Amino acid sequence: MQVKKYLLKCLHRLQKGPGYTYKELLVWYCDNTNTHGPKRIIREGPKKKAMWFVLTLLFATLVFWQWGVFIRTYLSWEVSVALSLGFKAMDFPAVTICNSSPFQYSKVRHLLKDLDELMDAVLERIVAPELGHANVTKGLNLTIWNHMPLVLIDERNPRHPMVVDLFGDDRNDSASSHPPPDRTCNAQGCKVAMRLCSVNGTVCTFRNFTSATQAVTEWYTLQATSIFSQVPRRELVKMGYPGEQLILACLFGAEPCSYRNFTSVFHPDYGNCYIFNWGVTEPALPSANPGVEFGLKLILDIGQEDYVPFLTSTAGARLLLHEQRSYPFVKDEGIYAMSGTETSIGVLVDKLERKGEPYSQCTMNGSDVPVRNLYSDYNTTYSIQACIRSCFQDHMIQNCTCGHYLYPLPPGKKYCNHQEFPDWVYCYSELRRSLDQRETCIQMCKESCNDTQYKMTISMADWPSEASEDWIFHVLSQERDQSTNITLSRKGIVKLNIYFQEFNYRTIEESAAYNIVWLLSNLGGQFGFWMGGSVLCLIEFAEIIIDFLWITVIKLVALARSLRQRRAQARYAGPPPTVAELVEAHSNCAFQPDAASEGPEPGAYAHEQALPIPGTPPPNYDSLRLQPLDVIESDSDGDAI
């Protein structure tokens, strides 16, 4: 009872006039709200009341539908892109220069001796299959071959393709008993493929190619990868092209430079790469003015005569322009500069600024990406390319128990090779074809929120010209080899000019397409247009909701009290005694029967005290209901409710 009384007092102090029932509350709200529709519902006649009720309900439905549309649009987190142009002096980009061949063949010949002999035999078998090769495998190291053999697939009968090992007995991988295929099948009838098997050889697959050139190149690269992965990194650096041999001349603006101004980084695909203006150990160099005269000029000697013949089929220099402190992914983002030419590269700058969460899945520094950055040892910034390759290397280690030679290796792990991990090529091939692996890495990795891209305009011309090549090669040969004879040739010389075309740069910036101001404006506009309401109307509605909750709490308290009373009455067998029965019990202390019944013997209570005669009994009401009146004091005058 005290709880209900307290709640009633609280409700009375919160609002005056609405009443204490749902009906009174609703009527009071419709009569006092600033929204137009509800007032007409209670003030008009029956017909207009029904009309205004339908109109109010319809327009309220429209308002809530429009609100839902606007809120869903706002929560879609769409962005708009703004393009702006700026003009200022800019830092010169980092320039990475690599040779197409990762190693000098004269220094790795001893490592590739057995593999090159196998390659010669394979090419001889493919190019001239009609000739007899009875002793073709004699003297060859077939241990390398057995890990990953090349086969011929005879597809002249598509229903029963036949598989022939180039250096082994004919094998029929189909269920048919047809005779073995003719080894002299032409290129249209037979395709070269790689046989990849698991460690126990129970599961094998074939990797097909449309051309034998692709097949033997991929086969040789995988075999060489297994060999180089077992060589220490320091030895691999020594086998690559040194900076003083690759970079013959350097000029940045009006200042001379040399290979000492470049930072050396070993890249598994291109060997020793050299980065100018990387900004890791020294501040970035600014560009004084746009134009060729204020850019970077290089003369390179790629030494094409010492290329690894089966590992590199492209001659030239590989270069990449990128941000300072970012790792150069030359294979994926770089361009080639052809030997015997002067390549001019004009640069324009695009700066990208993306919105972060929740508008896009971008990251500022990669700290919120659940992938360990294996390129962090180079002290470089985060990039999505580094994340995807680190993710692939993690999956490679988890599935194949070894890491791929092309990517950095986590501490305590080993690179894959045929001796320790015989089935690594099969595992690597399955993982590279796995769609789930690619989708997992793409979902885990995020783009960088701030990025700078360099757009290049490339032009080429023959260099040196026939009229000037004699004296140019003499001078360059004298400077490099201190020789009066010409030691350079057009096949190995590359000239580069890298410069800003202009100091104009473009900024592509993302901004929120729908902000909170847009949302509130549209919500208020729809509410005001359809219902004639405002923010105060919403506050009134919130007030009624609070009153509604208070009334609900009061009714719940009353219901709980009623349930307790019912449980208490359930303990009696019959109805509770009336007042008359209680009075009779008080006047007939011994609960004696009527006079007609036999009484006690005389003298039964001789020694006992005489019972007192009861006074006048109260009126003989059948029932008497007593209930205290709850008196609630108001805030001011204390009137009873």
Side-chain angles (χ1 to χ4, degrees):
M1 184 62 67
Q2 295 297 327
V3 176
K4 181 179 179 182
K5 188 175 181 180
Y6 174 76
L7 293 176
L8 288 171
K9 288 183 178 180
C10 292
L11 178 61
H12 187 73
R13 288 168 181 167
L14 283 174
Q15 46 85 27
K16 294 181 179 180
Y20 302 126
T21 64
Y22 296 130
K23 182 179 179 180
E24 294 176 355
L25 186 64
L26 184 59
V27 171
W28 181 89
Y29 171 74
C30 293
D31 191 41
N32 293 275
T33 181
N34 291 318
T35 308
H36 302 310
K39 289 183 179 181
R40 305 298 295 270
I41 294 176
I42 65 172
R43 293 181 180 179
E44 299 292 344
K47 295 182 179 180
K48 286 189 176 182
K49 182 181 295 186
M51 180 189 69
W52 278 103
F53 176 78
V54 173
L55 290 177
T56 302
L57 183 62
L58 175 62
F59 293 153
T61 304
L62 288 175
V63 168
F64 286 118
W65 173 67
Q66 288 291 332
W67 281 7
V69 171
F70 287 128
I71 293 175
R72 185 171 60 251
T73 303
Y74 174 75
L75 295 180
S76 63
W77 309 118
E78 296 182 4
V79 297
S80 60
V81 178
L83 177 63
S84 60
L85 298 177
F87 178 83
K88 68 174 184 179
M90 293 178 290
D91 292 335
F92 198 77
V95 180
T96 299
I97 304 295
C98 305
N99 203 332
S100 296
S101 179
F103 305 107
Q104 300 179 78
Y105 189 53
S106 58
K107 297 182 179 179
V108 299
R109 190 191 303 269
H110 63 288
L111 296 176
L112 303 177
K113 178 177 179 298
D114 294 338
L115 181 60
D116 289 345
E117 292 177 353
L118 272 175
M119 188 66 171
D120 290 333
V122 167
L123 294 177
E124 186 179 2
R125 173 70 179 86
I126 293 175
V127 174
E130 69 281 355
L131 300 179
H133 306 289
N135 299 324
V136 68
T137 60
K138 187 176 182 180
L140 298 179
N141 184 0
L142 295 181
T143 303
I144 302 176
W145 176 262
N146 293 331
H147 288 299
M148 187 176 52
L150 288 172
V151 297
L152 288 174
I153 300 180
D154 188 354
E155 297 179 344
R156 287 176 290 185
N157 186 357
R159 296 184 178 181
H160 303 283
M162 311 295 291
V163 179
V164 180
D165 194 330
L166 285 177
F167 294 150
D169 296 333
D170 295 349
R171 299 174 185 174
N172 183 2
D173 282 8
S174 66
S176 65
S177 57
H178 292 276
D182 187 5
R183 287 182 179 241
T184 61
C185 62
N186 53 25
Q188 289 76 18
C190 291
K191 300 297 182 182
V192 180
M194 284 191 298
R195 184 198 298 270
L196 306 176
C197 297
S198 60
V199 62
N200 52 10
T202 56
V203 179
C204 292
T205 184
F206 295 95
R207 185 177 175 187
N208 300 323
F209 298 89
T210 57
S211 172
T213 301
Q214 298 173 336
V216 296
T217 301
E218 183 71 11
W219 176 82
Y220 189 93
T221 301
L222 291 173
Q223 295 284 12
T225 297
S226 175
I227 296 174
F228 292 134
S229 64
Q230 304 176 65
V231 180
R233 181 59 57 91
R234 295 187 300 273
E235 298 297 326
L236 294 177
V237 172
K238 296 179 181 178
M239 297 174 184
Y241 286 84
E244 57 271 21
Q245 179 179 343
L246 178 65
I247 303 173
L248 298 181
C250 176
L251 186 66
F252 180 66
E255 298 294 330
C257 52
S258 67
Y259 70 93
R260 296 183 179 87
N261 300 105
F262 290 74
T263 303
S264 177
V265 174
F266 182 81
H267 196 286
D269 285 301
Y270 298 103
N272 296 332
C273 294
Y274 301 92
I275 307 176
F276 178 80
N277 196 31
W278 199 11
V280 174
T281 57
E282 297 179 357
L285 299 175
S287 179
N289 284 300
V292 179
E293 298 301 323
F294 301 94
L296 178 66
K297 300 178 181 180
L298 295 172
I299 298 178
L300 309 177
D301 178 20
I302 61 176
Q304 188 178 160
E305 66 280 355
D306 204 14
Y307 273 24
V308 180
F310 301 126
L311 188 61
T312 305
S313 58
T314 303
R318 188 79 170 175
L319 62 103
L320 173 66
L321 276 62
H322 54 97
E323 282 188 282
Q324 277 76 25
R325 299 178 59 84
S326 64
Y327 187 84
F329 294 95
V330 185
K331 185 176 182 180
D332 302 318
E333 302 174 353
I335 62 173
Y336 278 111
M338 189 170 58
S339 59
T341 61
E342 178 178 350
T343 302
S344 296
I345 302 175
V347 181
L348 294 174
V349 180
D350 286 345
K351 295 184 178 181
L352 278 68
E353 298 179 3
R354 300 182 178 90
K355 291 282 290 184
E357 295 284 351
Y359 296 94
S360 66
Q361 299 294 328
C362 72
T363 178
M364 294 300 297
N365 53 14
S367 58
D368 55 342
V369 177
V371 177
R372 176 178 50 180
N373 187 7
L374 300 179
Y375 293 87
S376 59
D377 294 340
Y378 295 95
N379 195 23
T380 56
T381 57
Y382 172 85
S383 66
I384 189 172
Q385 294 87 350
C387 179
I388 291 177
R389 284 155 182 78
S390 300
C391 179
F392 180 84
Q393 186 74 307
D394 287 341
H395 288 171
M396 185 78 183
I397 294 174
Q398 293 175 8
N399 293 274
C400 308
T401 68
C402 61
H404 198 279
Y405 167 73
L406 296 180
Y407 310 110
L409 197 65
K413 303 300 180 179
K414 292 184 178 181
Y415 281 122
C416 298
N417 59 80
H418 291 321
Q419 283 68 30
E420 299 181 80
F421 310 96
D423 62 337
W424 77 269
V425 179
Y426 172 82
C427 180
Y428 166 68
S429 179
E430 293 295 320
L431 187 63
R432 191 168 66 171
R433 292 187 299 178
S434 173
L435 182 61
D436 294 338
Q437 182 274 327
R438 293 197 296 269
E439 290 182 348
T440 300
C441 290
I442 291 175
Q443 292 175 359
M444 295 175 64
C445 294
K446 301 179 181 180
E447 290 183 316
S448 178
C449 291
N450 297 320
D451 192 13
T452 301
Q453 297 179 354
Y454 297 97
K455 305 297 182 181
M456 296 177 287
T457 303
I458 304 172
S459 60
M460 292 182 293
D462 289 340
W463 186 87
S465 63
E466 294 182 359
S468 59
E469 68 176 34
D470 185 64
W471 71 266
I472 289 178
F473 286 151
H474 267 100
V475 172
L476 292 177
S477 300
Q478 172 64 28
E479 290 177 346
R480 191 188 70 171
D481 302 324
Q482 288 78 41
S483 173
T484 57
N485 298 324
I486 296 178
T487 58
L488 301 174
S489 66
R490 182 181 294 273
K491 295 181 179 180
I493 292 296
V494 177
K495 185 177 181 181
L496 297 175
N497 297 322
I498 305 171
Y499 57 93
F500 280 122
Q501 284 184 311
E502 53 188 19
F503 274 173
N504 290 338
Y505 65 93
R506 298 189 304 176
T507 300
I508 304 174
E509 182 179 3
E510 291 182 350
S511 60
Y514 309 104
N515 53 24
I516 190 65
V517 176
W518 174 89
L519 178 63
L520 294 178
S521 299
N522 283 277
L523 295 182
Q526 293 297 320
F527 189 41
F529 178 75
W530 294 107
M531 298 290 294
S534 62
V535 177
L536 294 178
C537 297
L538 297 178
I539 297 176
E540 291 175 353
F541 185 75
E543 179 188 9
I544 295 303
I545 294 297
I546 295 174
D547 293 340
F548 177 87
L549 295 176
W550 272 112
I551 293 176
T552 304
V553 171
I554 291 173
K555 290 183 176 295
L556 291 177
V557 171
L559 178 63
R561 183 173 177 272
S562 175
L563 292 176
R564 286 198 303 269
Q565 291 178 353
R566 292 180 183 178
R567 285 195 296 267
Q569 293 175 0
R571 289 179 295 182
Y572 297 96
T578 63
V579 175
E581 292 174 347
L582 293 175
V583 172
E584 182 181 357
H586 179 74
S587 60
N588 190 4
C589 297
F591 294 97
Q592 297 177 1
D594 296 337
S597 62
E598 298 181 355
E601 296 180 358
Y605 302 98
H607 301 288
E608 296 182 2
Q609 184 179 0
L611 294 174
I613 298 174
T616 302
N620 188 13
Y621 295 120
D622 290 337
S623 63
L624 183 61
R625 180 171 58 90
L626 301 178
Q627 182 175 355
L629 179 63
D630 294 335
V631 179
I632 301 176
E633 297 180 356
S634 63
D635 295 336
S636 60
D637 51 4
D639 296 335
I641 297 176

